[in-house]
Amino acid sequence: MSDQAGNRAPYARIAAHYTELIASGKLEPGSLLPSIKNLAQEWKVSTATAEKALRKLRTEGLVRGIHGIGTEVLDHPAPMSSGAQRQDRGRHSGSSWGSGERSDSHQATMVSAPADVARVLDIEPGSDVIRRRRVYRDRHGIVAHSTSWIPARYAELIPELVESERLTGGTSLQLIAKATGRPITHRIDTASARQLTPGDAELLELDSTNPPAEPVVVMTAKFVDSESNVVEYGVDLGGPGRTWRTESEVTQ
């Protein structure tokens, strides 16, 4: 168990355990979770804590309570993560993957910066820029297509940024911070939705002649270091039917 998991409240640890089992497919749709009494005994917690863990799973839409039967696992695509959430995950675990996710189709190349990317990175349009792409998937299919745009100057410090392989030794942001000695101190996130374009359909491996009717979620994240340099601009395009969810504690 990670330090992060160890610092969670008992109900949250129980919920996180079953979230992982559900997301990975080890608990299939229709499966029943242990009863409140059995959960309390297995995890050595009170029945109130066990009930709170199940309530959290219900709130997140992962399970439903069926009177007289128990708590049943539901079947639906998991929400996508924002760039900031993936950064947080990478900082704590060294991986940007969510529960039950994997990534593939890693591509990296030096390209001419599109105007919108150049504006965010504060470079001239058409300047060289590193473009890194990968696809996040779970058992339902594509969670998100993710593109990272990184100023070309970092390729000299970290050559692997332009290699079409999954990075090792940390995320791109961690590698840049280590190479420059400047920590990432700020991030700016946006969330929006748009109708699927032919370009989106290609990235999400969809048939552009028969695209889904619902809009797709687009998340962006701009990361800035301690000297106000923009070091990365991330754009995540959600798969069909994916939503974005964030969670925080509310204190009274």
Side-chain angles (χ1 to χ4, degrees), residues 26 36-37 70 80 89 98 125 177 180 182 185 229 232 235 239-240:
K26 293 178 181 178
I36 291 175
K37 179 179 178 181
M80 63 180 289
R89 198 178 292 141
T180 62
R182 297 190 294 266
T185 57
N229 299 301
E232 184 170 322
V235 181

PDB file of all heavy atoms in Angstrom, residues 26 36-37 70 80 89 98 125 177 180 182 185 229 232 235 239-240:
ATOM      1  N   LYS A  26     -11.665  -7.050 -12.479  1.00  0.00           N
ATOM      2  CA  LYS A  26     -11.614  -8.207 -11.573  1.00  0.00           C
ATOM      3  C   LYS A  26     -12.959  -8.435 -10.881  1.00  0.00           C
ATOM      4  O   LYS A  26     -13.272  -9.548 -10.471  1.00  0.00           O
ATOM      5  CB  LYS A  26     -10.498  -8.012 -10.547  1.00  0.00           C
ATOM      6  CG  LYS A  26      -9.101  -8.034 -11.164  1.00  0.00           C
ATOM      7  CD  LYS A  26      -8.025  -7.792 -10.128  1.00  0.00           C
ATOM      8  CE  LYS A  26      -6.639  -7.799 -10.783  1.00  0.00           C
ATOM      9  NZ  LYS A  26      -5.563  -7.518  -9.811  1.00  0.00           N
ATOM     10  N   ILE A  36     -22.361  -5.168   4.459  1.00  0.00           N
ATOM     11  CA  ILE A  36     -21.765  -4.208   5.398  1.00  0.00           C
ATOM     12  C   ILE A  36     -21.112  -4.947   6.558  1.00  0.00           C
ATOM     13  O   ILE A  36     -19.984  -4.638   6.960  1.00  0.00           O
ATOM     14  CB  ILE A  36     -22.832  -3.227   5.915  1.00  0.00           C
ATOM     15  CG1 ILE A  36     -23.287  -2.300   4.778  1.00  0.00           C
ATOM     16  CG2 ILE A  36     -22.309  -2.419   7.088  1.00  0.00           C
ATOM     17  CD1 ILE A  36     -24.422  -1.374   5.148  1.00  0.00           C
ATOM     18  N   LYS A  37     -21.785  -5.956   7.077  1.00  0.00           N
ATOM     19  CA  LYS A  37     -21.247  -6.716   8.212  1.00  0.00           C
ATOM     20  C   LYS A  37     -19.946  -7.418   7.817  1.00  0.00           C
ATOM     21  O   LYS A  37     -18.955  -7.377   8.561  1.00  0.00           O
ATOM     22  CB  LYS A  37     -22.277  -7.740   8.686  1.00  0.00           C
ATOM     23  CG  LYS A  37     -21.806  -8.592   9.856  1.00  0.00           C
ATOM     24  CD  LYS A  37     -22.877  -9.573  10.297  1.00  0.00           C
ATOM     25  CE  LYS A  37     -22.387 -10.460  11.434  1.00  0.00           C
ATOM     26  NZ  LYS A  37     -23.436 -11.441  11.843  1.00  0.00           N
ATOM     27  N   GLY A  70     -28.332  -6.945  -2.147  1.00  0.00           N
ATOM     28  CA  GLY A  70     -27.007  -6.463  -1.784  1.00  0.00           C
ATOM     29  C   GLY A  70     -26.564  -5.319  -2.671  1.00  0.00           C
ATOM     30  O   GLY A  70     -27.384  -4.606  -3.246  1.00  0.00           O
ATOM     31  N   MET A  80     -12.813  10.384 -17.533  1.00  0.00           N
ATOM     32  CA  MET A  80     -11.440  10.705 -17.919  1.00  0.00           C
ATOM     33  C   MET A  80     -10.802  11.595 -16.862  1.00  0.00           C
ATOM     34  O   MET A  80     -11.492  12.193 -16.034  1.00  0.00           O
ATOM     35  CB  MET A  80     -11.424  11.394 -19.281  1.00  0.00           C
ATOM     36  CG  MET A  80     -12.138  12.730 -19.318  1.00  0.00           C
ATOM     37  SD  MET A  80     -12.119  13.534 -20.942  1.00  0.00           S
ATOM     38  CE  MET A  80     -10.402  14.019 -21.080  1.00  0.00           C
ATOM     39  N   ARG A  89      -1.233  12.261  -9.986  1.00  0.00           N
ATOM     40  CA  ARG A  89      -1.062  10.812  -9.924  1.00  0.00           C
ATOM     41  C   ARG A  89       0.390  10.421 -10.180  1.00  0.00           C
ATOM     42  O   ARG A  89       0.965   9.574  -9.490  1.00  0.00           O
ATOM     43  CB  ARG A  89      -1.992  10.163 -10.954  1.00  0.00           C
ATOM     44  CG  ARG A  89      -2.267   8.694 -10.745  1.00  0.00           C
ATOM     45  CD  ARG A  89      -3.232   8.214 -11.821  1.00  0.00           C
ATOM     46  NE  ARG A  89      -4.552   8.778 -11.663  1.00  0.00           N
ATOM     47  CZ  ARG A  89      -5.334   9.173 -12.648  1.00  0.00           C
ATOM     48  NH1 ARG A  89      -4.926   9.108 -13.897  1.00  0.00           N
ATOM     49  NH2 ARG A  89      -6.534   9.656 -12.408  1.00  0.00           N
ATOM     50  N   GLY A  98      -4.801   5.870 -14.565  1.00  0.00           N
ATOM     51  CA  GLY A  98      -5.854   5.719 -13.582  1.00  0.00           C
ATOM     52  C   GLY A  98      -6.107   4.244 -13.316  1.00  0.00           C
ATOM     53  O   GLY A  98      -5.468   3.365 -13.905  1.00  0.00           O
ATOM     54  N   PRO A 125       4.868  31.027 -33.980  1.00  0.00           N
ATOM     55  CA  PRO A 125       4.172  29.999 -34.774  1.00  0.00           C
ATOM     56  C   PRO A 125       5.120  29.420 -35.823  1.00  0.00           C
ATOM     57  O   PRO A 125       5.892  30.136 -36.437  1.00  0.00           O
ATOM     58  CB  PRO A 125       3.029  30.784 -35.428  1.00  0.00           C
ATOM     59  CG  PRO A 125       2.788  31.932 -34.508  1.00  0.00           C
ATOM     60  CD  PRO A 125       4.145  32.325 -33.982  1.00  0.00           C
ATOM     61  N   ALA A 177      11.778  19.021 -14.763  1.00  0.00           N
ATOM     62  CA  ALA A 177      12.109  19.675 -13.493  1.00  0.00           C
ATOM     63  C   ALA A 177      13.460  19.198 -12.969  1.00  0.00           C
ATOM     64  O   ALA A 177      14.270  19.996 -12.474  1.00  0.00           O
ATOM     65  CB  ALA A 177      11.004  19.405 -12.468  1.00  0.00           C
ATOM     66  N   THR A 180      16.353  20.647 -15.277  1.00  0.00           N
ATOM     67  CA  THR A 180      16.559  22.100 -15.213  1.00  0.00           C
ATOM     68  C   THR A 180      16.811  22.599 -13.797  1.00  0.00           C
ATOM     69  O   THR A 180      17.327  23.711 -13.617  1.00  0.00           O
ATOM     70  CB  THR A 180      15.333  22.843 -15.766  1.00  0.00           C
ATOM     71  OG1 THR A 180      14.175  22.531 -14.961  1.00  0.00           O
ATOM     72  CG2 THR A 180      15.076  22.452 -17.218  1.00  0.00           C
ATOM     73  N   ARG A 182      14.423  23.380 -11.926  1.00  0.00           N
ATOM     74  CA  ARG A 182      13.319  24.309 -11.649  1.00  0.00           C
ATOM     75  C   ARG A 182      12.021  23.522 -11.475  1.00  0.00           C
ATOM     76  O   ARG A 182      11.535  22.898 -12.427  1.00  0.00           O
ATOM     77  CB  ARG A 182      13.169  25.318 -12.786  1.00  0.00           C
ATOM     78  CG  ARG A 182      14.387  26.213 -12.975  1.00  0.00           C
ATOM     79  CD  ARG A 182      14.101  27.336 -13.948  1.00  0.00           C
ATOM     80  NE  ARG A 182      13.869  26.829 -15.293  1.00  0.00           N
ATOM     81  CZ  ARG A 182      14.813  26.716 -16.231  1.00  0.00           C
ATOM     82  NH1 ARG A 182      16.075  27.027 -15.948  1.00  0.00           N
ATOM     83  NH2 ARG A 182      14.521  26.272 -17.433  1.00  0.00           N
ATOM     84  N   THR A 185       5.591  24.885 -10.675  1.00  0.00           N
ATOM     85  CA  THR A 185       4.931  25.582  -9.574  1.00  0.00           C
ATOM     86  C   THR A 185       3.489  25.981  -9.859  1.00  0.00           C
ATOM     87  O   THR A 185       2.729  26.244  -8.935  1.00  0.00           O
ATOM     88  CB  THR A 185       5.715  26.852  -9.192  1.00  0.00           C
ATOM     89  OG1 THR A 185       5.851  27.689 -10.351  1.00  0.00           O
ATOM     90  CG2 THR A 185       7.102  26.492  -8.663  1.00  0.00           C
ATOM     91  N   ASN A 229       8.481  29.908 -16.854  1.00  0.00           N
ATOM     92  CA  ASN A 229       8.565  29.315 -18.178  1.00  0.00           C
ATOM     93  C   ASN A 229       7.440  28.300 -18.359  1.00  0.00           C
ATOM     94  O   ASN A 229       7.220  27.456 -17.481  1.00  0.00           O
ATOM     95  CB  ASN A 229       9.896  28.578 -18.363  1.00  0.00           C
ATOM     96  CG  ASN A 229      11.095  29.496 -18.221  1.00  0.00           C
ATOM     97  OD1 ASN A 229      11.231  30.454 -18.959  1.00  0.00           O
ATOM     98  ND2 ASN A 229      11.960  29.202 -17.254  1.00  0.00           N
ATOM     99  N   GLU A 232       5.112  22.843 -20.594  1.00  0.00           N
ATOM    100  CA  GLU A 232       4.304  21.842 -21.287  1.00  0.00           C
ATOM    101  C   GLU A 232       2.857  22.318 -21.397  1.00  0.00           C
ATOM    102  O   GLU A 232       2.342  23.000 -20.507  1.00  0.00           O
ATOM    103  CB  GLU A 232       4.342  20.499 -20.547  1.00  0.00           C
ATOM    104  CG  GLU A 232       3.607  19.371 -21.254  1.00  0.00           C
ATOM    105  CD  GLU A 232       3.871  18.001 -20.628  1.00  0.00           C
ATOM    106  OE1 GLU A 232       5.017  17.742 -20.209  1.00  0.00           O
ATOM    107  OE2 GLU A 232       2.918  17.211 -20.545  1.00  0.00           O
ATOM    108  N   VAL A 235      -3.190  18.471 -23.962  1.00  0.00           N
ATOM    109  CA  VAL A 235      -4.566  18.469 -24.465  1.00  0.00           C
ATOM    110  C   VAL A 235      -5.079  17.041 -24.440  1.00  0.00           C
ATOM    111  O   VAL A 235      -4.511  16.149 -25.089  1.00  0.00           O
ATOM    112  CB  VAL A 235      -4.650  19.024 -25.907  1.00  0.00           C
ATOM    113  CG1 VAL A 235      -6.099  19.029 -26.376  1.00  0.00           C
ATOM    114  CG2 VAL A 235      -4.056  20.417 -25.988  1.00  0.00           C
ATOM    115  N   GLY A 239     -12.780  10.043 -24.836  1.00  0.00           N
ATOM    116  CA  GLY A 239     -13.437   9.074 -25.686  1.00  0.00           C
ATOM    117  C   GLY A 239     -14.946   9.238 -25.644  1.00  0.00           C
ATOM    118  O   GLY A 239     -15.501   9.868 -24.730  1.00  0.00           O
ATOM    119  N   PRO A 240     -15.666   8.682 -26.621  1.00  0.00           N
ATOM    120  CA  PRO A 240     -17.128   8.802 -26.652  1.00  0.00           C
ATOM    121  C   PRO A 240     -17.765   8.295 -25.357  1.00  0.00           C
ATOM    122  O   PRO A 240     -17.406   7.233 -24.845  1.00  0.00           O
ATOM    123  CB  PRO A 240     -17.521   7.916 -27.840  1.00  0.00           C
ATOM    124  CG  PRO A 240     -16.307   7.868 -28.699  1.00  0.00           C
ATOM    125  CD  PRO A 240     -15.142   7.907 -27.759  1.00  0.00           C
TER     126      PRO A 240
END
